[in-house]
Amino acid sequence: MYSSGRRMANTLFQKVWNAHAVRTLPSGQTQLFVGLHLIHEVTTPQAFDMLRQNGWRVAFPGRTFGTVDHIVPTRSRTRPFLDVMAEEMSASLERNCREFGINLWTAEEEDQGIVHVIGPELGLTQPGMTIACGDSHTSTHGALGAVAFGIGTSQVRDVLASQCLSLDPLKVRRIDVAGQLKPGVYAKDVILTIIRRLGVQGGVGFAYEYGGSTIDGMTIDERMTVCNMSIEGGARVGYVNPDETTFRFLRGRRFAPQGEAFDRAVAWWREIASDGNASYDDRVAFDASAIEPTVTWGINPGQSVGVTEPIAGDTRDEAFAFMGFAPGARVAGTKIDVAFIGSCTNGRLSDLEVAAAIVRGHKVAPHVQALIVPGSQAVRRAAEARGLHEVFIEAGFEWRGPGCSMCLGMNPDRLQGRQVCASSSNRNFKGRQGSPTGRTLLMSPAMVAAAAIAGEVVDVRTMMEPAHA
Ligand code: SF4
């Protein structure tokens, strides 16, 4: 176990790793205890089948929590779902959770939502934890100082059966972002800029530790947006050291420690943060004031460009032909067909508030289908309590129920043919949004809102009130 006595200066990653290491395996990998296992309907059916075939039980059902998100329809929750496959996946997760004694939030329940939205929202995600989930964007939870791994189906089985994962250690890259973001520039622009510079493979073998004055000044929601896309830069894990912002966020949340236990936890959470003199395997620095609203133009999240900048590149790159851009072109002015605000990257209340401020008093362009999909039932309720749904509906957006929706093509919300989508999600791979030829432009929720109104990609700063701009 990690001890607070005399010790070497360490990073949060190393401290959490050491505290959860069970043993070194003959393979050289580390067997790591998993503090929290989050499950959903897509990556669990075979894992539970394997448990049954072997006569195994779930080792720690009390550390396992489930929700449905990927396949749930966002228009109607009436059961059975019209899509037979979606109904079967949902029903199968319900059966499995019942049989193995696991807490599950179904589509009808008030705490349902995208797995990476509800974990922090309910206070399940806490600093110093190891977290695993069968979804690539599990790194989101690192925003609260957890070390969180996206895992595959066979690892889901391993965690269900043993509460452990076998992993190779990671190196740690410190990413400092310092300075003031300009108006109209958000956490999404920061992470797109980081991935653009370091590359989509740049983080392979690394955990990314984000810090510096810009990150320090961010809310937990904004830190979640940054950590969420770590995997798109190749990093298995992304995190921010816990601080007063983290403790304020967690206090009073349902699954967070309560009363004196919370104060004791805070003392430990402070200790688990990286030491000031910790050494890193690599360090890079970014100037926040140089970042502008950023949009992807290609077919991976590293292919992005500032909205006023020309696209650089080589025409032999298949992204140009697929997306219909040419080197030297600008993304501003690209006509869009669909606008999507949602996902575990940007489907939280603060994202909807920013988008509503842009949308208020405007109308969605007649040729655009525009969707607002809250990340959870709690986000939906909070947004409705503030009247945000009325702002969106009045402008011509569709106000939907919580789920992954158009982040990926596993539910009825899909692009058609070569449609172009301005999207607040995290992946712009070919076919990601449900149409093999559909085109995704990733950007901040504010930029999506602006594109929905203009009918084309536009610099959101030109649409902001002087008070905001
Ligand atoms: S919103 Fe997208 S990235 Fe997030 S959990 Fe759902 S499918 Fe995965």
Side-chain angles (χ1 to χ4, degrees):
M1 289 286 288
Y2 164 72
S3 148
S4 62
R6 285 187 62 209
R7 55 179 168 74
M8 281 172 56
N10 260 336
T11 60
L12 176 143
F13 179 81
Q14 289 156 338
K15 293 182 196 181
V16 174
W17 183 276
N18 294 346
H20 292 82
V22 178
R23 61 184 171 136
T24 304
L25 298 166
S27 64
Q29 290 189 306
T30 302
Q31 187 181 24
L32 207 65
F33 186 78
V34 172
L36 173 67
H37 188 197
L38 298 168
I39 62 172
H40 58 86
E41 73 281 16
V42 176
T43 45
T44 49
Q46 295 119 305
F48 280 112
D49 284 347
M50 288 187 260
L51 249 61
R52 258 190 295 272
Q53 282 156 17
N54 288 292
W56 297 337
R57 304 300 303 165
V58 171
F60 286 85
R63 289 183 177 274
T64 313
F65 294 84
T67 186
V68 282
D69 50 11
H70 287 61
I71 52 85
V72 288
T74 61
R75 271 188 205 279
S76 157
R77 301 279 153 149
T78 310
R79 299 288 295 271
F81 298 141
L82 283 176
D83 178 343
V84 176
M85 174 92 82
E87 177 57 32
E88 175 44 33
M89 285 173 109
S90 225
S92 146
L93 184 61
E94 287 163 22
R95 275 195 307 275
N96 286 328
C97 286
R98 242 189 339 266
E99 180 182 338
F100 289 94
I102 293 168
N103 196 337
L104 169 70
W105 291 290
T106 65
E108 297 81 34
E109 286 175 71
E110 63 172 26
D111 290 320
Q112 176 265 344
I114 303 174
V115 65
H116 309 313
V117 176
I118 66 165
E121 198 172 77
L122 292 166
L124 286 165
T125 303
Q126 295 166 24
M129 265 187 177
T130 45
I131 299 178
C133 174
D135 183 272
S136 312
H137 298 86
T138 305
S139 54
T140 312
H141 304 263
L144 288 112
V147 171
F149 300 94
I151 57 176
T153 294
S154 59
Q155 290 174 305
V156 171
R157 173 206 57 196
D158 294 347
V159 180
L160 286 172
S162 67
Q163 202 64 25
C164 288
L165 271 176
S166 305
L167 292 168
D168 291 315
L170 297 172
K171 293 183 283 187
V172 183
R173 173 177 291 146
R174 168 79 179 190
I175 299 179
D176 278 295
V177 188
Q180 188 75 37
L181 290 173
K182 292 200 181 107
V185 180
Y186 302 90
K188 182 63 157 287
D189 304 301
V190 172
I191 188 61
L192 285 174
T193 300
I194 290 171
I195 299 168
R196 179 185 177 190
R197 162 121 66 100
L198 300 180
V200 290
Q201 297 291 321
V204 173
F206 282 96
Y208 277 178
E209 177 180 305
Y210 303 99
S213 60
T214 315
I215 304 287
D216 292 346
M218 283 184 175
T219 62
I220 293 295
D221 283 9
E222 291 169 321
R223 294 177 188 180
M224 283 197 258
T225 299
V226 172
C227 290
N228 173 276
M229 290 190 70
S230 304
I231 189 76
E232 304 306 334
R236 187 83 191 271
V237 159
Y239 66 88
V240 177
N241 283 303
D243 60 6
E244 296 307 321
T245 304
T246 320
F247 311 145
R248 260 197 314 277
F249 177 92
L250 279 170
R251 189 180 286 279
R253 295 203 181 246
R254 188 176 341 150
F255 289 91
Q258 306 291 324
E260 286 179 13
F262 187 84
D263 298 330
R264 283 197 301 277
V266 167
W268 187 70
W269 294 341
R270 284 188 207 285
E271 268 190 50
I272 209 78
S274 294
D275 297 313
N277 54 346
S279 62
Y280 295 88
D281 299 288
D282 191 30
R283 293 192 85 124
V284 288
F286 288 80
D287 172 7
S289 67
I291 299 173
E292 67 167 342
T294 301
V295 181
T296 61
W297 60 267
I299 52 175
N300 71 54
Q303 291 177 315
S304 68
V305 69
V307 68
T308 63
E309 241 184 288
I311 302 169
D314 183 331
T315 43
R316 282 172 298 183
D317 186 331
E318 64 166 329
F320 283 107
F322 184 83
M323 295 299 291
F325 288 115
R330 285 177 166 74
V331 282
T334 305
K335 192 170 167 238
I336 66 157
D337 305 292
V338 178
F340 168 61
I341 296 179
S343 87
C344 59
T345 316
N346 282 124
R348 287 174 285 271
L349 180 63
S350 52
D351 299 312
L352 305 195
E353 285 176 329
V354 166
I358 305 291
V359 162
R360 197 180 293 277
H362 295 283
K363 293 281 182 204
V364 170
H367 67 276
V368 173
Q369 182 194 18
L371 273 67
I372 304 281
V373 186
S376 69
Q377 298 282 5
V379 170
R380 180 188 59 74
R381 282 193 301 276
E384 290 180 356
R386 287 163 172 74
L388 301 186
H389 63 312
E390 285 161 2
V391 174
F392 289 121
I393 292 168
E394 174 69 15
F397 280 84
E398 297 174 30
W399 179 250
R400 298 290 190 88
C404 295
S405 182
M406 214 175 255
C407 177
L408 87 174
M410 287 191 82
N411 56 71
D413 303 340
R414 293 160 170 252
L415 295 186
Q416 304 296 320
R418 282 206 29 94
Q419 279 186 323
V420 174
C421 180
S423 179
S424 73
S425 57
N426 48 47
R427 282 195 165 155
N428 54 344
F429 303 156
K430 290 196 270 183
R432 170 73 176 180
Q433 292 191 292
S435 162
T437 53
R439 291 166 288 172
T440 304
L441 306 174
L442 301 176
M443 58 189 85
S444 71
M447 284 285 285
V448 177
I453 292 158
E456 60 183 37
V457 177
V458 62
D459 187 340
V460 66
R461 294 172 294 190
T462 63
M463 296 182 61
M464 293 172 82
E465 300 288 331
H468 299 283

